[in-house]
Amino acid sequence: MGAESFLAMRGIDKRFGDVRALNDVDFELEAGEIHALLGVNGAGKSTLIKILSGVYSKDAGSIRIDGEEFALGSPRAAIEAGIAVVQQHPELVGDLTGAENIFLGQEHRRSGLFSPVNGQDIRRRAAALLERFPIDVDLDRAVDDMPAVDREIVAILHALRLENARILILDEPTSTLTEREKESLFEMMQTLKAQGLAIIYITHHLDEVFEIADRFTVFRGGRRVATHGVAEAQREGISIPNLMLDSVAGDIFPPRSDRVDGEVVFEARDLSRQGEFEDVSFSARKGEILGIFGLVGSGVDELSKALFGVLRPDSGELHLNGRRVRFRSPAQALKAGIFLVPGDRRTEGLSMDENVIFNTTVANLGRASLGGFMRFGRNRRDSGALAERVDLQPRKLDRPLRGYSGGNQQKVVIAKGLYREADVYIFVEPTVGVDIGARAKIYTLMRELSDRAAVIVISSDCDEVFGVADRTVALYKGAPIGAPSREITRDHLLHAGIMGEAV
């Protein structure tokens, strides 16, 4: 395609001090194409996107769009060039309507501090946008009342509100969507593609590449290592994980435990909460990992919160180390020896503006302080040792968590749990937005933890639950399908979670 490509980035270099984040990178994108951008965290794909969106300035190379060269030295310059970006966690105002969010910051047709906001004009402009991109979404609805996919669509329409938009960058748009919502988003992407829009699609879900993309490009170590058409890759059996990891990728899951007589640490007996889950029973043992699979809306999220004292069950019992327990708050659960790695690490698991040391030690202040004073030297040493154990990259202990990738943020949550030294670890959606390399490390850490504690993995990813757990069970509309078992197959587990039937 070369110089004829709609977007042609040639010889792009970028350094941060001694680190060469991009090394002589070429990237091409065609109009009316969905192009997946892949690579482990730190591979260089985020740096490339930030150069294209004007957040970073390139050190060398050229960028041409439709034959015209652009410097793109600022976000405004990128917008003026027709580049629209939807971040992984788009910032929307929940109590405003979809239409109001789309034109947030552009409510006034006329300049002036006291120009009135015309609600009818905003609705007319929103209707015109839907005529341009025919998508089924109610933009008069408050964003807080929308399903996740509609919020994602609002964020996309906000990015496309300018008439000159011709390149759309989507960063992990399906990370919080159900399978059905994902299908709706993909339908919208096909609509945008048919309009001639060029789409760069960043994802860690490799199965989605073959479902939605026309081509994919893999980055590794700051270089572009491969670009293939999806049909070509399927025909020739090209392995994306092998390209990403520079090796023949083996099973990312560590070997299962063969222990069947481990000490029971944590039990649920007929646990129920009206309208959310019912009659859930399990035993979590030291030496093995218990897996609970359930789609979004199946009750798995509410169950995890009940196990950690965020929600109170209506009936049933919890037993920890042989004694019945009742948690009225997460603080009580934490004190008793339960640690939850939450599904939404940004809002429930981390203080994004604080550094690695603070986030690692905050859940165990009794260990981190003495006589009311923080043990700064010891805390730095302990945090450094844990950062090394979880393979945090880069190992910058004073860096705020906002400066880390999703996978590395998740590693800090796990380091926080390791510092706590709990009896029970509950992992909820542990690898959302995490690349394949970081996933393998997280699964290995789970297996190591299971040697001394009970580990429970709760996820809407069937392959994850089946791959990492020793015993598994599915939750369907709040009810467990059968009992946790070592004998259930992956297909049977998936069938139970989707259809609610044991096979």
Side-chain angles (χ1 to χ4, degrees):
M1 294 181 181
E4 296 180 355
S5 295
F6 177 67
L7 168 68
M9 303 179 74
R10 304 291 184 202
I12 305 298
D13 265 45
K14 182 64 181 178
R15 285 184 178 273
F16 297 98
D18 294 332
V19 177
R20 195 172 187 180
L22 291 177
N23 186 352
D24 194 27
V25 166
D26 292 345
F27 178 74
E28 302 87 22
L29 176 69
E30 299 298 331
E33 175 189 30
I34 299 174
H35 195 131
L37 195 57
L38 310 172
V40 301
N41 294 124
K45 61 185 187 299
S46 295
T47 302
L48 185 83
I49 290 307
K50 287 179 179 177
I51 288 173
L52 186 58
S53 58
V55 177
Y56 295 156
S57 296
K58 63 186 183 329
D59 295 333
S62 65
I63 301 172
R64 298 179 69 86
I65 302 174
D66 202 16
E68 182 181 355
E69 186 160 348
F70 288 85
L72 302 181
S74 68
R76 177 176 292 277
I79 291 171
E80 291 174 352
I83 298 167
V85 184
V86 180
Q87 303 293 347
Q88 182 178 357
H89 301 285
E91 301 291 340
L92 300 174
V93 181
D95 56 357
L96 296 184
T97 67
E100 290 166 337
N101 270 276
I102 289 170
F103 295 103
L104 199 62
Q106 292 187 334
E107 300 91 342
H108 305 280
R109 291 279 196 169
R110 294 174 295 172
S111 61
L113 180 62
F114 300 105
S115 299
V117 175
N118 189 327
Q120 289 185 341
D121 181 55
I122 289 176
R123 285 193 292 274
R124 280 195 298 268
R125 291 157 67 190
L129 192 60
L130 289 182
E131 286 183 12
R132 183 174 156 213
F133 303 114
I135 299 156
D136 184 18
V137 60
D138 181 5
L139 296 181
D140 290 326
R141 192 175 181 183
V143 162
D144 273 347
D145 297 331
M146 289 182 171
V149 67
D150 285 2
R151 293 195 294 270
E152 189 70 34
I153 288 172
V154 167
I156 293 172
L157 291 174
H158 174 78
L160 296 176
R161 69 196 186 280
L162 301 177
E163 292 185 1
N164 71 329
R166 47 188 177 169
I167 296 173
L168 175 65
I169 302 169
L170 298 178
D171 186 3
E172 292 286 348
T174 64
S175 60
T176 59
L177 303 186
T178 66
E179 286 297 312
R180 183 166 297 177
E181 288 175 330
K182 186 176 74 173
E183 290 176 8
S184 298
L185 177 66
F186 285 176
E187 288 176 8
M188 178 187 184
M189 291 171 64
Q190 293 289 1
T191 297
L192 299 177
K193 172 184 171 180
Q195 297 284 330
L197 205 68
I199 301 175
I200 298 175
Y201 183 65
I202 303 170
T203 182
H204 290 306
H205 296 283
L206 303 186
D207 57 322
E208 294 178 2
V209 175
F210 295 96
E211 190 173 350
I212 190 62
D214 300 297
R215 289 192 297 162
F216 63 85
T217 290
V218 177
F219 276 67
R220 188 178 67 239
R223 295 178 178 271
R224 185 189 76 167
V225 297
T227 295
H228 294 285
V230 166
E232 168 203 355
Q234 290 176 314
R235 184 173 60 251
E236 299 183 8
I238 293 171
S239 168
I240 296 177
N242 289 352
L243 293 171
M244 292 169 64
L245 298 176
D246 192 24
S247 63
V248 177
D251 194 340
I252 64 172
F253 301 106
R256 287 191 172 96
S257 170
D258 56 5
R259 290 181 59 181
V260 294
D261 58 350
E263 173 190 350
V264 174
V265 179
F266 194 41
E267 284 185 278
R269 301 179 183 175
D270 299 319
L271 211 63
S272 297
R273 181 177 166 91
Q274 186 173 6
E276 292 172 348
F277 54 85
E278 60 180 345
D279 298 330
V280 175
S281 297
F282 64 77
S283 59
R285 301 172 180 270
K286 187 182 297 185
E288 67 172 8
I289 297 175
L290 173 68
I292 302 176
F293 165 61
L295 300 178
V296 175
S298 65
V300 288
D301 184 61
E302 292 80 5
L303 174 63
S304 70
K305 288 179 168 60
L307 298 178
F308 193 58
V310 179
L311 299 176
R312 295 187 190 179
D314 299 323
S315 61
E317 298 179 0
L318 289 174
H319 290 252
L320 178 64
N321 293 319
R323 300 179 60 183
R324 185 177 179 182
V325 291
R326 294 178 179 176
F327 302 135
R328 301 185 184 278
S329 68
Q332 287 187 353
L334 196 64
K335 185 176 181 180
I338 311 289
F339 188 88
L340 177 74
V341 177
D344 187 349
R345 56 181 170 262
R346 292 171 63 89
T347 59
E348 298 175 346
L350 297 169
S351 298
M352 300 301 292
D353 292 324
E354 299 292 344
N355 65 18
V356 173
I357 299 171
F358 176 90
N359 277 281
T360 300
T361 59
V362 68
N364 196 350
L365 293 179
R367 178 179 172 185
S369 62
L370 180 65
F373 296 94
M374 298 301 292
R375 296 172 159 178
F376 292 107
R378 176 178 171 176
N379 292 347
R380 176 174 288 276
R381 288 192 299 273
D382 288 346
S383 298
L386 288 171
E388 183 175 0
R389 183 175 174 187
V390 301
D391 193 27
L392 183 68
Q393 297 294 334
R395 216 157 289 158
K396 305 274 188 187
L397 301 183
D398 295 312
R399 174 183 287 189
L401 266 291
R402 290 191 184 280
Y404 280 94
S405 67
N408 282 292
Q409 289 171 4
Q410 190 73 334
K411 290 177 183 178
V412 174
V413 181
I414 294 172
K416 178 180 173 183
L418 293 171
Y419 187 78
R420 181 68 199 184
E421 298 180 334
D423 293 327
V424 180
Y425 288 89
I426 303 170
F427 291 84
V428 182
E429 305 289 359
T431 60
V432 169
V434 176
D435 69 63
I436 190 170
R439 285 176 64 190
K441 181 63 179 180
I442 289 170
Y443 296 146
T444 298
L445 287 167
M446 288 179 183
R447 180 57 64 188
E448 291 173 359
L449 280 172
S450 72
D451 289 337
R452 65 168 181 80
V455 175
I456 302 171
V457 177
I458 300 175
S459 176
S460 59
D461 184 336
C462 180
D463 290 328
E464 177 168 76
V465 172
F466 183 75
V468 76
D470 302 298
R471 287 185 299 128
T472 57
V473 67
L475 211 64
Y476 178 78
K477 293 185 178 179
I481 308 303
S485 170
R486 286 177 174 262
E487 306 303 323
I488 190 170
T489 68
R490 182 261 185 200
D491 289 345
H492 290 171
L493 182 67
L494 182 63
H495 184 87
I498 292 177
M499 304 298 294
E501 301 171 353
V503 178

PDB file of all heavy atoms in Angstrom, residues 178-199:
ATOM      1  N   THR A 178     -21.119  -6.683  27.838  1.00  0.00           N
ATOM      2  CA  THR A 178     -21.539  -8.068  27.720  1.00  0.00           C
ATOM      3  C   THR A 178     -21.369  -8.515  26.270  1.00  0.00           C
ATOM      4  O   THR A 178     -21.125  -7.701  25.375  1.00  0.00           O
ATOM      5  CB  THR A 178     -23.008  -8.227  28.119  1.00  0.00           C
ATOM      6  OG1 THR A 178     -23.834  -7.521  27.176  1.00  0.00           O
ATOM      7  CG2 THR A 178     -23.270  -7.663  29.513  1.00  0.00           C
ATOM      8  N   GLU A 179     -21.539  -9.811  26.023  1.00  0.00           N
ATOM      9  CA  GLU A 179     -21.413 -10.326  24.660  1.00  0.00           C
ATOM     10  C   GLU A 179     -22.446  -9.680  23.743  1.00  0.00           C
ATOM     11  O   GLU A 179     -22.153  -9.323  22.598  1.00  0.00           O
ATOM     12  CB  GLU A 179     -21.564 -11.852  24.649  1.00  0.00           C
ATOM     13  CG  GLU A 179     -20.358 -12.589  25.188  1.00  0.00           C
ATOM     14  CD  GLU A 179     -19.113 -12.348  24.351  1.00  0.00           C
ATOM     15  OE1 GLU A 179     -19.196 -12.456  23.122  1.00  0.00           O
ATOM     16  OE2 GLU A 179     -18.054 -12.028  24.940  1.00  0.00           O
ATOM     17  N   ARG A 180     -23.664  -9.541  24.233  1.00  0.00           N
ATOM     18  CA  ARG A 180     -24.714  -8.937  23.399  1.00  0.00           C
ATOM     19  C   ARG A 180     -24.418  -7.461  23.135  1.00  0.00           C
ATOM     20  O   ARG A 180     -24.613  -6.962  22.021  1.00  0.00           O
ATOM     21  CB  ARG A 180     -26.084  -9.104  24.072  1.00  0.00           C
ATOM     22  CG  ARG A 180     -27.252  -8.564  23.245  1.00  0.00           C
ATOM     23  CD  ARG A 180     -28.574  -9.054  23.779  1.00  0.00           C
ATOM     24  NE  ARG A 180     -28.674 -10.508  23.692  1.00  0.00           N
ATOM     25  CZ  ARG A 180     -29.718 -11.211  24.147  1.00  0.00           C
ATOM     26  NH1 ARG A 180     -30.722 -10.592  24.746  1.00  0.00           N
ATOM     27  NH2 ARG A 180     -29.747 -12.515  24.026  1.00  0.00           N
ATOM     28  N   GLU A 181     -23.935  -6.754  24.154  1.00  0.00           N
ATOM     29  CA  GLU A 181     -23.580  -5.347  23.964  1.00  0.00           C
ATOM     30  C   GLU A 181     -22.409  -5.211  23.005  1.00  0.00           C
ATOM     31  O   GLU A 181     -22.354  -4.272  22.200  1.00  0.00           O
ATOM     32  CB  GLU A 181     -23.250  -4.715  25.318  1.00  0.00           C
ATOM     33  CG  GLU A 181     -24.461  -4.497  26.204  1.00  0.00           C
ATOM     34  CD  GLU A 181     -24.091  -3.983  27.579  1.00  0.00           C
ATOM     35  OE1 GLU A 181     -22.994  -4.311  28.070  1.00  0.00           O
ATOM     36  OE2 GLU A 181     -24.905  -3.249  28.180  1.00  0.00           O
ATOM     37  N   LYS A 182     -21.474  -6.157  23.073  1.00  0.00           N
ATOM     38  CA  LYS A 182     -20.342  -6.132  22.147  1.00  0.00           C
ATOM     39  C   LYS A 182     -20.825  -6.254  20.708  1.00  0.00           C
ATOM     40  O   LYS A 182     -20.318  -5.572  19.810  1.00  0.00           O
ATOM     41  CB  LYS A 182     -19.372  -7.268  22.486  1.00  0.00           C
ATOM     42  CG  LYS A 182     -18.082  -7.234  21.671  1.00  0.00           C
ATOM     43  CD  LYS A 182     -17.115  -8.318  22.104  1.00  0.00           C
ATOM     44  CE  LYS A 182     -17.571  -9.682  21.611  1.00  0.00           C
ATOM     45  NZ  LYS A 182     -16.554 -10.725  21.871  1.00  0.00           N
ATOM     46  N   GLU A 183     -21.810  -7.112  20.483  1.00  0.00           N
ATOM     47  CA  GLU A 183     -22.368  -7.258  19.135  1.00  0.00           C
ATOM     48  C   GLU A 183     -22.952  -5.927  18.652  1.00  0.00           C
ATOM     49  O   GLU A 183     -22.798  -5.562  17.482  1.00  0.00           O
ATOM     50  CB  GLU A 183     -23.444  -8.340  19.128  1.00  0.00           C
ATOM     51  CG  GLU A 183     -22.901  -9.756  19.311  1.00  0.00           C
ATOM     52  CD  GLU A 183     -24.021 -10.787  19.383  1.00  0.00           C
ATOM     53  OE1 GLU A 183     -25.189 -10.400  19.128  1.00  0.00           O
ATOM     54  OE2 GLU A 183     -23.722 -11.954  19.691  1.00  0.00           O
ATOM     55  N   SER A 184     -23.629  -5.204  19.540  1.00  0.00           N
ATOM     56  CA  SER A 184     -24.209  -3.901  19.169  1.00  0.00           C
ATOM     57  C   SER A 184     -23.108  -2.910  18.812  1.00  0.00           C
ATOM     58  O   SER A 184     -23.233  -2.146  17.847  1.00  0.00           O
ATOM     59  CB  SER A 184     -25.060  -3.352  20.320  1.00  0.00           C
ATOM     60  OG  SER A 184     -26.148  -4.205  20.602  1.00  0.00           O
ATOM     61  N   LEU A 185     -22.029  -2.915  19.581  1.00  0.00           N
ATOM     62  CA  LEU A 185     -20.918  -2.012  19.280  1.00  0.00           C
ATOM     63  C   LEU A 185     -20.300  -2.367  17.935  1.00  0.00           C
ATOM     64  O   LEU A 185     -19.981  -1.476  17.125  1.00  0.00           O
ATOM     65  CB  LEU A 185     -19.864  -2.088  20.384  1.00  0.00           C
ATOM     66  CG  LEU A 185     -18.607  -1.245  20.137  1.00  0.00           C
ATOM     67  CD1 LEU A 185     -18.948   0.241  20.148  1.00  0.00           C
ATOM     68  CD2 LEU A 185     -17.529  -1.552  21.168  1.00  0.00           C
ATOM     69  N   PHE A 186     -20.125  -3.643  17.662  1.00  0.00           N
ATOM     70  CA  PHE A 186     -19.538  -4.060  16.389  1.00  0.00           C
ATOM     71  C   PHE A 186     -20.431  -3.676  15.211  1.00  0.00           C
ATOM     72  O   PHE A 186     -19.936  -3.327  14.129  1.00  0.00           O
ATOM     73  CB  PHE A 186     -19.277  -5.562  16.401  1.00  0.00           C
ATOM     74  CG  PHE A 186     -18.080  -5.975  17.232  1.00  0.00           C
ATOM     75  CD1 PHE A 186     -17.757  -7.311  17.406  1.00  0.00           C
ATOM     76  CD2 PHE A 186     -17.277  -5.013  17.846  1.00  0.00           C
ATOM     77  CE1 PHE A 186     -16.657  -7.681  18.165  1.00  0.00           C
ATOM     78  CE2 PHE A 186     -16.176  -5.374  18.609  1.00  0.00           C
ATOM     79  CZ  PHE A 186     -15.877  -6.723  18.767  1.00  0.00           C
ATOM     80  N   GLU A 187     -21.743  -3.733  15.418  1.00  0.00           N
ATOM     81  CA  GLU A 187     -22.665  -3.276  14.362  1.00  0.00           C
ATOM     82  C   GLU A 187     -22.447  -1.793  14.082  1.00  0.00           C
ATOM     83  O   GLU A 187     -22.448  -1.352  12.925  1.00  0.00           O
ATOM     84  CB  GLU A 187     -24.118  -3.537  14.779  1.00  0.00           C
ATOM     85  CG  GLU A 187     -24.517  -4.999  14.758  1.00  0.00           C
ATOM     86  CD  GLU A 187     -25.927  -5.207  15.264  1.00  0.00           C
ATOM     87  OE1 GLU A 187     -26.638  -4.195  15.495  1.00  0.00           O
ATOM     88  OE2 GLU A 187     -26.326  -6.372  15.436  1.00  0.00           O
ATOM     89  N   MET A 188     -22.255  -0.999  15.144  1.00  0.00           N
ATOM     90  CA  MET A 188     -21.988   0.424  14.961  1.00  0.00           C
ATOM     91  C   MET A 188     -20.673   0.623  14.219  1.00  0.00           C
ATOM     92  O   MET A 188     -20.582   1.468  13.316  1.00  0.00           O
ATOM     93  CB  MET A 188     -21.929   1.133  16.304  1.00  0.00           C
ATOM     94  CG  MET A 188     -21.600   2.614  16.180  1.00  0.00           C
ATOM     95  SD  MET A 188     -21.334   3.413  17.756  1.00  0.00           S
ATOM     96  CE  MET A 188     -21.090   5.107  17.219  1.00  0.00           C
ATOM     97  N   MET A 189     -19.662  -0.138  14.563  1.00  0.00           N
ATOM     98  CA  MET A 189     -18.371   0.002  13.886  1.00  0.00           C
ATOM     99  C   MET A 189     -18.490  -0.318  12.400  1.00  0.00           C
ATOM    100  O   MET A 189     -17.878   0.346  11.557  1.00  0.00           O
ATOM    101  CB  MET A 189     -17.331  -0.901  14.560  1.00  0.00           C
ATOM    102  CG  MET A 189     -16.937  -0.450  15.961  1.00  0.00           C
ATOM    103  SD  MET A 189     -15.904  -1.658  16.855  1.00  0.00           S
ATOM    104  CE  MET A 189     -14.441  -1.668  15.823  1.00  0.00           C
ATOM    105  N   GLN A 190     -19.301  -1.309  12.071  1.00  0.00           N
ATOM    106  CA  GLN A 190     -19.516  -1.632  10.661  1.00  0.00           C
ATOM    107  C   GLN A 190     -20.245  -0.496   9.950  1.00  0.00           C
ATOM    108  O   GLN A 190     -19.961  -0.196   8.784  1.00  0.00           O
ATOM    109  CB  GLN A 190     -20.303  -2.938  10.539  1.00  0.00           C
ATOM    110  CG  GLN A 190     -19.560  -4.179  11.019  1.00  0.00           C
ATOM    111  CD  GLN A 190     -18.416  -4.586  10.106  1.00  0.00           C
ATOM    112  OE1 GLN A 190     -18.135  -3.939   9.100  1.00  0.00           O
ATOM    113  NE2 GLN A 190     -17.740  -5.672  10.452  1.00  0.00           N
ATOM    114  N   THR A 191     -21.163   0.154  10.667  1.00  0.00           N
ATOM    115  CA  THR A 191     -21.856   1.317  10.097  1.00  0.00           C
ATOM    116  C   THR A 191     -20.867   2.444   9.813  1.00  0.00           C
ATOM    117  O   THR A 191     -20.903   3.068   8.748  1.00  0.00           O
ATOM    118  CB  THR A 191     -22.949   1.812  11.065  1.00  0.00           C
ATOM    119  OG1 THR A 191     -23.925   0.774  11.233  1.00  0.00           O
ATOM    120  CG2 THR A 191     -23.642   3.063  10.527  1.00  0.00           C
ATOM    121  N   LEU A 192     -19.983   2.705  10.757  1.00  0.00           N
ATOM    122  CA  LEU A 192     -18.985   3.763  10.577  1.00  0.00           C
ATOM    123  C   LEU A 192     -18.024   3.410   9.444  1.00  0.00           C
ATOM    124  O   LEU A 192     -17.639   4.271   8.647  1.00  0.00           O
ATOM    125  CB  LEU A 192     -18.213   3.978  11.879  1.00  0.00           C
ATOM    126  CG  LEU A 192     -19.047   4.421  13.090  1.00  0.00           C
ATOM    127  CD1 LEU A 192     -18.166   4.531  14.328  1.00  0.00           C
ATOM    128  CD2 LEU A 192     -19.761   5.732  12.821  1.00  0.00           C
ATOM    129  N   LYS A 193     -17.657   2.149   9.382  1.00  0.00           N
ATOM    130  CA  LYS A 193     -16.775   1.686   8.302  1.00  0.00           C
ATOM    131  C   LYS A 193     -17.444   1.898   6.945  1.00  0.00           C
ATOM    132  O   LYS A 193     -16.787   2.354   5.987  1.00  0.00           O
ATOM    133  CB  LYS A 193     -16.447   0.212   8.520  1.00  0.00           C
ATOM    134  CG  LYS A 193     -15.692  -0.441   7.382  1.00  0.00           C
ATOM    135  CD  LYS A 193     -15.505  -1.937   7.646  1.00  0.00           C
ATOM    136  CE  LYS A 193     -14.952  -2.641   6.420  1.00  0.00           C
ATOM    137  NZ  LYS A 193     -14.773  -4.099   6.651  1.00  0.00           N
ATOM    138  N   ALA A 194     -18.730   1.595   6.849  1.00  0.00           N
ATOM    139  CA  ALA A 194     -19.453   1.774   5.583  1.00  0.00           C
ATOM    140  C   ALA A 194     -19.522   3.238   5.177  1.00  0.00           C
ATOM    141  O   ALA A 194     -19.666   3.545   3.983  1.00  0.00           O
ATOM    142  CB  ALA A 194     -20.859   1.185   5.713  1.00  0.00           C
ATOM    143  N   GLN A 195     -19.421   4.139   6.164  1.00  0.00           N
ATOM    144  CA  GLN A 195     -19.412   5.572   5.875  1.00  0.00           C
ATOM    145  C   GLN A 195     -18.030   6.048   5.409  1.00  0.00           C
ATOM    146  O   GLN A 195     -17.843   7.232   5.127  1.00  0.00           O
ATOM    147  CB  GLN A 195     -19.821   6.356   7.128  1.00  0.00           C
ATOM    148  CG  GLN A 195     -21.231   6.074   7.618  1.00  0.00           C
ATOM    149  CD  GLN A 195     -22.282   6.744   6.781  1.00  0.00           C
ATOM    150  OE1 GLN A 195     -22.051   7.793   6.214  1.00  0.00           O
ATOM    151  NE2 GLN A 195     -23.458   6.128   6.684  1.00  0.00           N
ATOM    152  N   GLY A 196     -17.064   5.132   5.362  1.00  0.00           N
ATOM    153  CA  GLY A 196     -15.717   5.480   4.907  1.00  0.00           C
ATOM    154  C   GLY A 196     -14.765   5.861   6.015  1.00  0.00           C
ATOM    155  O   GLY A 196     -13.622   6.258   5.744  1.00  0.00           O
ATOM    156  N   LEU A 197     -15.214   5.756   7.266  1.00  0.00           N
ATOM    157  CA  LEU A 197     -14.349   6.113   8.385  1.00  0.00           C
ATOM    158  C   LEU A 197     -13.232   5.071   8.529  1.00  0.00           C
ATOM    159  O   LEU A 197     -13.460   3.868   8.381  1.00  0.00           O
ATOM    160  CB  LEU A 197     -15.168   6.169   9.676  1.00  0.00           C
ATOM    161  CG  LEU A 197     -14.637   7.057  10.798  1.00  0.00           C
ATOM    162  CD1 LEU A 197     -14.717   8.523  10.400  1.00  0.00           C
ATOM    163  CD2 LEU A 197     -15.436   6.826  12.074  1.00  0.00           C
ATOM    164  N   ALA A 198     -12.030   5.525   8.822  1.00  0.00           N
ATOM    165  CA  ALA A 198     -10.901   4.633   9.107  1.00  0.00           C
ATOM    166  C   ALA A 198     -10.816   4.443  10.610  1.00  0.00           C
ATOM    167  O   ALA A 198     -10.786   5.422  11.360  1.00  0.00           O
ATOM    168  CB  ALA A 198      -9.608   5.230   8.564  1.00  0.00           C
ATOM    169  N   ILE A 199     -10.796   3.193  11.080  1.00  0.00           N
ATOM    170  CA  ILE A 199     -10.873   2.899  12.516  1.00  0.00           C
ATOM    171  C   ILE A 199      -9.639   2.128  12.965  1.00  0.00           C
ATOM    172  O   ILE A 199      -9.287   1.092  12.392  1.00  0.00           O
ATOM    173  CB  ILE A 199     -12.143   2.078  12.837  1.00  0.00           C
ATOM    174  CG1 ILE A 199     -13.402   2.854  12.420  1.00  0.00           C
ATOM    175  CG2 ILE A 199     -12.199   1.736  14.323  1.00  0.00           C
ATOM    176  CD1 ILE A 199     -14.691   2.061  12.597  1.00  0.00           C
TER     177      ILE A 199
END
